Amino acid sequence: MALDQKIRLAAFNWLSEQVGIHGDVLPRKLLERGFGFEGERIVLISPQGIFKPRVMQYPLTITTAPEGPYDDAFGTDGYLSYRYRGKDPNHRDNAGLREAYRNRIPLIYFHGVVPGKYLAVWPVYIIGDDPAALTFKVAVEDQVSMGRQDDYTVPEENVLKRAYMTAEVRIRLHQRGFREKVLAAYRSQCAFCKLKYGELLDAAHIISDNEPDSRPTIDNGLALCKLHHAAFDSFIISVNPDYIIHVRKDVLDEEDGPMLQHGLKELHKARIILPRAEHHWPNREYLDRRFQKFMAYA
Ligand SMILES: [Zn+2]
């Protein structure tokens, strides 16, 4: 096996391990540190978007910065559209990615969800090159279907499946982006109880994401701990448009030990923790819509 291929596989395996530890949103520092391979340190990310470790023949990773609306990266055909480095199609980074395209080399894609955090997706393949638009077209392959990793250079020729996988990743990008942005806005604490334990925090939707007009924006989110997320989703707790917490009456009337007392009942009539930036505060209309439903349960 060629050295490039060996390192590429080692990078895929290392990423799998890291995702097992950290979840699929990885801190930039970790990617900058990388891993050791036969005495060489292989880092996975650089200040530029297209990155080829010195010892490799083809680029290993492509990265997009965490800014702009979510869909910026996706073309109308649903595929990721990846911008050239600069405006010269023959810049060595662009030429390198073109070589990866010609040789069907699998790459790693890092999608910035918030500053310093990236969703890692691999393998992805360059499936088109548009010098006029200064972009490459990128498709995502099914990680699971790779199975035996030694045959990884033969991507599935199924366009539908590939479009489907790319769409799945797009949904994942939205979800991870939503979680990271909401948690950052609330300074990683539960808006109800101030719990700051990251592993126990979620981004809850105010307008539930199975409703057609639900948006993955911070003003439709609340950072909540697991308990309060579940209580919010099941209408045991709600928040009125003035940001005041209400606990359902039958729960308030119940007597049952300290968890119920401190975890739920004492929140009644308290004000939620709000993000520092007012435009990140929950949208009052969304809160009202949800609160009306809650009142119907009460
Ligand atoms: Zn909480």
Side-chain angles (χ1 to χ4, degrees):
M1 201 189 284
L3 179 64
D4 181 281
Q5 200 173 357
K6 275 192 202 164
I7 299 175
R8 204 167 292 273
L9 287 179
F12 290 170
N13 290 331
W14 180 79
L15 267 183
S16 292
E17 278 174 32
Q18 301 311 311
V19 166
I21 298 166
H22 302 273
D24 58 6
V25 177
L26 299 172
R28 185 179 179 101
K29 277 191 185 132
L30 182 76
L31 306 173
E32 283 171 346
R33 210 178 313 136
F35 64 99
F37 181 87
E38 295 178 1
E40 284 275 348
R41 178 133 298 267
I42 308 294
V43 305
L44 282 90
I45 201 164
S46 80
Q48 298 301 335
I50 302 167
F51 178 61
K52 183 183 90 64
R54 190 180 51 81
V55 290
M56 295 184 79
Q57 190 180 351
Y58 304 104
L60 177 62
T61 68
I62 54 176
T63 302
T64 53
E67 52 197 1
Y70 296 140
D71 278 353
D72 240 17
F74 288 88
T76 45
D77 56 3
Y79 288 109
L80 178 70
S81 146
Y82 192 82
R83 289 198 69 77
Y84 282 4
R85 174 166 180 188
K87 293 199 160 68
D88 173 11
N90 295 316
H91 181 283
R92 66 183 154 77
D93 285 357
N94 302 327
L97 212 49
R98 196 166 296 118
E99 279 301 296
Y101 169 38
R102 288 192 187 121
N103 293 286
R104 309 182 137 217
I105 303 295
L107 305 162
I108 297 162
Y109 172 51
F110 295 125
H111 180 93
V113 288
V114 290
K117 289 193 169 184
Y118 295 83
L119 178 73
V121 183
W122 76 94
V124 301
Y125 291 87
I126 306 295
I127 58 164
D129 178 16
D130 184 351
L134 303 174
T135 55
F136 292 102
K137 193 196 279 192
V138 184
V140 176
E141 206 61 29
D142 184 353
Q143 229 172 293
V144 183
S145 79
M146 288 191 11
R148 280 173 57 240
Q149 292 208 320
D150 54 0
D151 60 12
Y152 74 88
T153 47
V154 191
E156 176 74 74
E157 284 294 349
N158 185 328
V159 175
L160 260 180
K161 176 175 164 246
R162 187 175 267 175
Y164 173 72
M165 286 315 301
T166 305
E168 289 273 285
V169 165
R170 188 176 178 174
I171 290 166
R172 202 145 56 94
L173 295 181
H174 280 220
Q175 290 169 341
R176 298 304 185 277
F178 178 68
R179 180 181 188 277
E180 296 299 327
K181 283 175 194 194
V182 170
L183 261 55
Y186 286 81
R187 307 180 296 285
S188 292
Q189 61 189 325
C190 175
F192 292 177
C193 70
K194 298 187 185 172
L195 185 79
K196 289 191 178 69
Y197 214 77
E199 286 86 341
L200 296 179
L201 294 177
D202 290 333
H205 289 85
I206 298 170
I207 302 297
S208 150
D209 62 352
N210 52 35
E211 291 187 39
D213 56 343
S214 174
R215 299 173 60 219
T217 50
I218 296 172
D219 71 346
N220 188 35
L222 281 172
L224 293 178
C225 70
K226 300 278 180 191
L227 172 68
H228 292 135
H229 187 188
F232 185 73
D233 278 355
S234 51
F235 295 97
I236 288 172
I237 291 188
S238 205
V239 179
N240 76 11
D242 295 319
Y243 310 116
I244 303 299
I245 300 170
H246 285 247
V247 177
R248 209 170 65 202
K249 188 167 181 314
D250 61 304
V251 178
L252 282 176
D253 291 345
E254 207 171 312
E255 295 290 341
D256 178 43
M259 191 63 191
L260 183 74
Q261 183 60 33
H262 301 306
L264 297 174
K265 286 168 73 170
E266 276 176 13
L267 293 173
H268 189 58
K269 297 285 170 80
R271 196 168 192 255
I272 64 167
I273 312 284
L274 288 166
R276 290 211 174 98
E278 205 169 328
H279 65 278
H280 288 156
W281 290 13
N283 181 306
R284 284 168 185 262
E285 253 171 66
Y286 300 163
L287 283 177
D288 190 44
R289 233 169 93 181
R290 186 159 188 118
F291 195 67
Q292 296 307 323
K293 279 192 189 173
F294 167 78
M295 291 304 277
Y297 281 93

